[in-house]
Amino acid sequence: MPQPSSRTGVVSPATRLRKRVIHLGFRLPEGVKRRIAGPAVRIAGRELALDAQLLIALAKRLGVDRLVVGDSPGKTREAVRTHQYILAGLHDGTVTDREIRIDTPDGEILATLHTPADCPDPSPLLVFFHGGGWVFGSRAEDAPLTRFLAHHAGVRVLSVDYRLAPEHPFPAPFNDALAAFDHAHAHAAELGVDSQRIAVGGDSAGGNLAAALSQAVTERQGPRPSHQFLFYPSTDLTRRHPSRERLANGFILTDDDIAWFQNQYAPASVDRSDPRLSPLLGEASPGIAPAYVAVAGFDPLRDEGEAYAAALEKAGATVTLDRMDDLIHGYLNFYALCPRFRAAALRTAEAIRTHLSKGH
């Protein structure tokens, strides 16, 4: 697949054409979309949304049936940059961006602070960690989504460029996530943020970092997140849960992808039962931040997210489990394609707005 240059941002004409074709595909009449997508997919009482099924069908026609390309971090990153360009849409709303430099024990990392128009000062803040299997992704690639969330939730969002595996395996991304949260708390006034309403959140691998961070700081003397927003998170790197068996292939994120990502982040020498890797195996306490956990019905990681929500609730934490039963992993990144994905993203933004407006 032709790709935009990672250095120049130049996008090939073929990639621009693919973007137009993909977006136009979702504007076709329902009957035409059904013919392209094929018969409805039903598993264990759930029916896959037509638009999710159409996305899978169109991706397959473009040769994309899994995320990892050639077992190569570099090739995978380049391919995903192209996918993100194709999926992105125009941003609705005015959001200003400001680069933030964060000192860590291992050097400086960067983040982008998104501030929506008419945002109160101080406001709540969501410290956001992007997805990408700890291997790909960046604040720039996630900017359409994080701006969308900032605008529709009405809160500031700090999107963090944590270091990536395999060049920087565990615990580097976790340490960067923690440093970013501590920086936000220490510099709350400078950022225009209410220090009592600083939440953490992320999707997929980013949800793993947010969950692990929230658990790790519960017992320490120091700042803690006011809330945690976990969107289809990975929570257990020690075993394959049933949804990974049932949904191993055919829904873009595959079981082989998950195993590959985990091996890049946590090589064989690492104890994967470490709660900073597998928060499901940690000991959550009632003092942990209230959690909003969103899972997708056709996501191989679904059971891990549901199990973590149950574990938090059992420990006495306040938990909201939001099931998007008809969607696939990564649905937030598809919000610009069609009303179903947009509705899911708006529901997520409203959850952020509602939970952070309540404070603790």
Side-chain angles (χ1 to χ4, degrees):
M1 177 184 293
Q3 300 160 354
S5 166
S6 59
R7 291 186 176 88
T8 67
V10 174
V11 179
S12 73
T15 298
R16 290 195 183 94
L17 177 60
R18 282 192 168 106
K19 180 182 178 79
R20 289 196 292 272
V21 169
I22 291 287
H23 284 258
L24 285 172
F26 285 90
R27 299 177 188 174
L28 294 169
E30 295 293 292
V32 177
K33 289 198 289 187
R34 172 56 69 195
R35 287 197 292 275
I36 296 171
V41 174
R42 298 182 181 87
I43 298 177
R46 298 179 178 88
E47 181 172 330
L48 183 62
L50 172 57
D51 285 326
Q53 193 175 343
L54 178 64
L55 176 62
I56 294 168
L58 293 173
K60 286 182 178 178
R61 293 190 181 198
L62 295 176
V64 179
D65 56 6
R66 58 174 297 194
L67 291 178
V68 176
V69 178
D71 288 332
S72 164
K75 290 180 180 179
T76 299
R77 290 166 185 161
E78 286 296 325
V80 170
R81 288 189 190 102
T82 296
H83 302 160
Q84 294 284 57
Y85 167 79
I86 289 173
L87 294 171
L90 297 175
H91 176 63
D92 50 345
T94 301
V95 175
T96 59
D97 298 340
R98 172 183 163 197
E99 184 170 271
I100 304 296
R101 297 178 179 273
I102 298 170
D103 290 325
T104 81
D106 299 311
E108 187 180 76
I109 61 172
L110 299 176
T112 299
L113 180 67
H114 302 300
T115 302
D118 302 321
C119 187
D121 192 357
S123 76
L125 174 72
L126 173 61
V127 181
F128 188 87
F129 311 115
H130 63 76
W134 309 278
V135 172
F136 67 80
S138 70
R139 61 194 171 113
E141 290 164 46
D142 246 35
L145 172 60
T146 46
R147 289 185 186 122
F148 179 97
L149 294 177
H151 171 64
H152 289 283
V155 304
R156 287 175 169 86
V157 175
L158 186 68
S159 182
V160 180
D161 256 343
Y162 58 88
R163 289 170 292 169
L164 298 177
E167 295 87 350
H168 303 284
F170 174 81
F174 172 85
N175 290 342
D176 289 352
L178 182 56
F181 170 74
D182 285 344
H183 177 95
H185 198 276
H187 297 269
E190 175 190 337
L191 298 175
V193 167
D194 177 358
S195 63
Q196 299 304 305
R197 288 187 292 167
I198 299 178
V200 295
D203 59 322
S204 193
N208 169 275
L209 295 175
L213 184 161
S214 298
Q215 191 177 118
V217 303
T218 304
E219 302 301 330
R220 76 171 184 175
Q221 295 297 316
R224 306 174 191 172
S226 65
H227 299 78
Q228 52 181 317
F229 295 95
L230 314 178
F231 311 123
Y232 34 89
S234 167
T235 66
D236 184 3
L237 275 67
T238 65
R239 67 187 182 93
R240 298 170 75 237
H241 290 249
S243 58
R244 279 186 61 180
E245 302 277 355
R246 298 192 193 104
L247 304 168
N249 294 289
F251 302 98
I252 299 181
L253 176 68
T254 71
D255 183 56
D256 286 343
D257 286 335
I258 295 169
W260 186 86
F261 287 131
Q262 291 179 351
N263 288 335
Q264 306 306 302
Y265 184 42
S269 60
V270 173
D271 176 9
R272 293 188 177 182
S273 66
D274 187 323
R276 295 173 298 167
L277 274 172
S278 299
L280 182 59
L281 305 186
E283 295 184 9
S285 73
I288 198 168
Y292 170 87
V293 183
V295 298
F298 289 82
D299 179 4
L301 295 179
R302 182 192 67 219
D303 289 354
E304 294 181 33
E306 293 196 347
Y308 193 58
L312 290 174
E313 193 167 35
K314 184 177 179 181
T318 302
V319 180
T320 300
L321 176 61
D322 198 355
R323 293 183 173 95
M324 308 283 186
D325 279 339
D326 61 337
L327 295 183
I328 59 175
H329 188 85
Y331 61 78
L332 288 177
N333 292 292
F334 312 142
Y335 75 88
L337 291 177
C338 63
R340 177 65 192 100
F341 288 127
R342 182 178 175 84
L346 287 172
R347 186 158 126 183
T348 298
E350 184 58 31
I352 295 169
R353 177 193 293 275
T354 300
H355 285 271
L356 289 183
S357 69
K358 297 176 181 176
H360 285 283

